Amino acid sequence: MSIQWALLFLICFYGSCLAQESNATFKPQNIQLNNGYWFNGTSFEKKTVWMTKGLLHFEPLETTIDSIINLANNYVIPPFAEAHNHNLESSYKIEERINSYLTNGVFYVKLLSSIKKRIAPLMHYYNKPNGLDVSMAHAPLTASGGHPVALRQRFLNYGRYRGLFENLKEIEYHGYVIIDNKNDLLRKWDSIVSFSPDFIKTMLVHSEGYKKRKNDTTFFGNKGLNPKLFPEIVTKAHQSNLRVSVHVNTAHDFHVAVAANADEISHLPEIHNGKPIHFEDALLAKQKDITVVTTISLVKKNKEKDNYDQLVANVVRNLQTLKRAGVRLAIGSDMYNDTSVAEFDFLYELQVFSNLELLTMWTENAIHTIFPDRKLGKLQEGYEASFLVVNKNPLRDISDIHKSIVLKVKEGIVLP
């Protein structure tokens, strides 16, 4: 069966099964995949591969094969991911946003904050075999008057929380949690975990100026957690088996996050400030296996400024520092009206990374920081049968790779 006819057949088959899902147990087919070049982490190998029960197998199945697909000498890679966004929380253009992700082969999205009251009615869209999988932090931890309190205040004034909250005080625990001291941390922790976050999002914002900004109302919304308290927050989260993702602005924020054993730094630091990060901090991040999410597209918000070229040059310098130290980098955009596709394109344009490095950053690394406990992001025995088939070798030419997709499979199900 050719890949085109296989695609049509399996879409019809699975579409019928999913339509009947409420009345019968859905049972994926046992499928043999011939003539595909499978990515092994460094290169491509031509293999015959099998799918059963939504998993990959590299040895023949001891069961009846329901269908055979000829991959026609195309290339098989893990799906893409979005390691930082906030754009799946509300019903606004929700189907359009989901389709944009899936059309471009992005199966996994990390929501770095979300209001549970808003996203709960939308969860039927997510975390199912034929849809997006999302990981959520819900309310981030910050200090009094810190980011994102001002943002929540603006949205409240705009009427975006109509029917959910009447005032800013009601938003705490939903849109942010104030942690100013150890007593706050201990007193509020049970409420924080009662929202069942997949991980904890924390805010370090110009922590080198914490004392200056703490009680200065001119910095409302532009400050964050006490850097001296931050290690205790990380320890508390780890005691609850929750990973910690850190919003950072500056090189000092980066230093604090790394020293405190955070698991993920959700921004490249110094995007808007133009200062270098210290190589010693990058080396320590590598030693502690900390993931850094790129989000470099944010620098484009400075395009009209006179120092834009210098800011981009500093972004390149800091990416090179992290690369030289061997830090795990994951592609994420933090662009509300976009996906990780544009972030990937910008990274490709800067020519800091090889094609292999970019592929790994957008697949394995990004997926790992979203779902570290799932067998995802690699094409190995017993891993989830989620992959993309593309019609060119991305190690030779990775430009516009998302436009080269000829087949998308998630948990053994062909996506239309």
Side-chain angles (χ1 to χ4, degrees):
M1 184 182 294
S2 72
I3 194 167
Q4 290 85 1
W5 282 109
L7 176 60
L8 178 61
F9 167 76
L10 288 172
I11 287 173
C12 293
F13 175 82
Y14 284 123
S16 174
C17 288
L18 289 168
Q20 300 173 38
E21 205 170 25
S22 58
N23 300 318
T25 301
F26 173 62
K27 183 179 179 181
Q29 279 195 316
N30 301 316
I31 299 173
Q32 181 174 312
L33 301 153
N34 293 340
N35 298 318
Y37 287 88
W38 293 73
F39 183 60
N40 63 14
T42 56
S43 62
F44 286 91
E45 298 178 77
K46 194 169 187 178
K47 293 181 178 181
T48 298
V49 178
W50 293 263
M51 296 191 302
T52 186
K53 298 179 180 178
L55 302 178
L56 290 174
H57 297 281
F58 290 80
E59 296 293 334
L61 300 177
E62 295 181 0
T63 186
T64 303
I65 299 298
D66 298 308
S67 62
I68 297 175
I69 300 178
N70 180 5
L71 296 181
N73 295 318
N74 286 304
Y75 298 86
V76 189
I77 60 176
F80 305 130
E82 164 67 279
H84 188 147
N85 218 313
H86 304 266
N87 62 0
L88 297 170
E89 177 201 41
S90 76
S91 59
Y92 178 69
K93 292 187 176 181
I94 186 63
E95 293 186 357
E96 179 182 324
R97 296 182 191 280
I98 290 172
N99 288 338
S100 178
Y101 278 117
L102 293 177
T103 297
N104 288 293
V106 179
F107 290 0
Y108 312 104
V109 180
K110 191 167 192 174
L111 299 177
L112 270 291
S113 64
S114 57
I115 292 177
K116 194 167 186 176
K117 277 187 174 184
R118 296 181 82 194
I119 200 169
L122 305 175
M123 289 308 297
H124 63 280
Y125 286 110
Y126 308 131
N127 300 334
K128 58 184 182 179
N130 63 333
L132 282 179
D133 288 356
V134 298
S135 175
M136 299 170 287
H138 299 310
L141 311 189
T142 190
S144 292
H147 181 58
V149 179
L151 185 66
R152 299 303 188 199
Q153 178 72 72
R154 285 203 304 273
F155 287 174
L156 182 70
N157 295 342
Y158 294 158
R160 294 187 185 180
Y161 301 145
R162 190 174 291 113
L164 295 175
F165 310 108
E166 295 296 326
N167 54 61
L168 190 61
K169 185 177 180 180
E170 290 182 3
I171 297 178
E172 185 169 7
Y173 294 108
H174 299 272
Y176 58 84
V177 182
I178 301 300
I179 305 292
D180 285 328
N181 50 57
K182 187 172 183 178
N183 183 55
D184 285 343
L185 178 63
L186 298 177
R187 181 171 53 87
K188 296 183 178 183
W189 190 255
D190 286 346
S191 294
I192 293 168
V193 298
S194 72
F195 281 70
S196 301
D198 296 314
F199 60 99
I200 297 295
K201 170 74 177 295
T202 56
M203 296 293 181
L204 286 175
V205 181
H206 295 277
S207 56
E208 66 280 4
Y210 171 76
K211 289 183 179 180
K212 174 184 177 182
R213 293 170 181 245
K214 179 181 177 182
N215 297 315
D216 189 337
T217 56
T218 61
F219 290 106
F220 179 57
N222 196 19
K223 50 189 171 183
L225 293 160
N226 184 343
K228 292 184 178 179
L229 178 64
F230 190 74
E232 295 188 58
I233 295 173
V234 174
T235 298
K236 188 67 174 175
H238 287 171
Q239 289 171 347
S240 296
N241 295 316
L242 289 166
R243 288 164 56 84
V244 177
S245 180
V246 192
H247 168 109
V248 301
N249 286 66
T250 66
H252 188 268
D253 297 339
F254 183 84
H255 170 80
V256 172
V258 170
N261 300 315
D263 302 283
E264 173 190 86
I265 295 171
S266 63
H267 292 284
L268 182 76
E270 298 291 345
I271 288 175
H272 303 295
N273 307 305
K275 296 179 181 178
I277 57 177
H278 299 296
F279 185 63
E280 294 76 13
D281 289 333
L283 281 176
L284 191 57
K286 164 62 177 176
Q287 292 169 16
K288 295 187 175 185
D289 198 27
I290 296 170
T291 298
V292 177
V293 182
T294 55
T295 69
I296 63 165
S297 296
L298 295 172
V299 76
K300 294 183 178 181
K301 293 184 177 182
N302 301 290
K303 260 193 170 181
E304 302 306 315
K305 295 183 178 179
D306 292 338
N307 67 338
Y308 176 70
D309 290 342
Q310 288 85 353
L311 290 175
V312 173
N314 187 65
V315 163
V316 169
R317 176 172 57 182
N318 284 336
L319 288 173
Q320 290 171 334
T321 296
L322 294 172
K323 174 180 175 176
R324 185 158 57 96
V327 175
R328 181 195 281 130
L329 291 162
I331 293 182
S333 71
D334 193 22
M335 298 297 284
Y336 190 84
N337 292 316
D338 217 323
T339 70
S340 54
V341 171
E343 179 78 4
F344 164 81
D345 288 341
F346 191 29
L347 284 161
Y348 175 79
E349 177 187 326
L350 294 181
Q351 294 295 295
V352 175
F353 303 100
S354 68
N355 290 351
L356 174 59
E357 288 167 334
L358 286 172
L359 181 62
T360 303
M361 288 161 60
W362 203 10
T363 59
E364 180 182 340
N365 291 0
I367 294 171
H368 172 80
T369 202
I370 300 171
F371 294 111
D373 299 322
R374 286 172 62 179
K375 288 188 172 183
L376 283 172
K378 297 180 181 180
L379 305 177
Q380 294 183 355
E381 177 68 29
Y383 271 58
E384 294 182 27
S386 299
F387 54 85
L388 307 172
V389 181
V390 294
N391 61 16
K392 65 179 181 179
N393 184 341
L395 300 186
R396 295 175 184 163
D397 179 8
I398 201 170
S399 61
D400 293 328
I401 191 63
H402 53 285
K403 296 180 181 179
S404 303
I405 300 169
V406 295
L407 186 69
K408 296 176 294 217
V409 178
K410 184 169 181 283
E411 297 178 43
I413 296 174
V414 173
L415 301 184

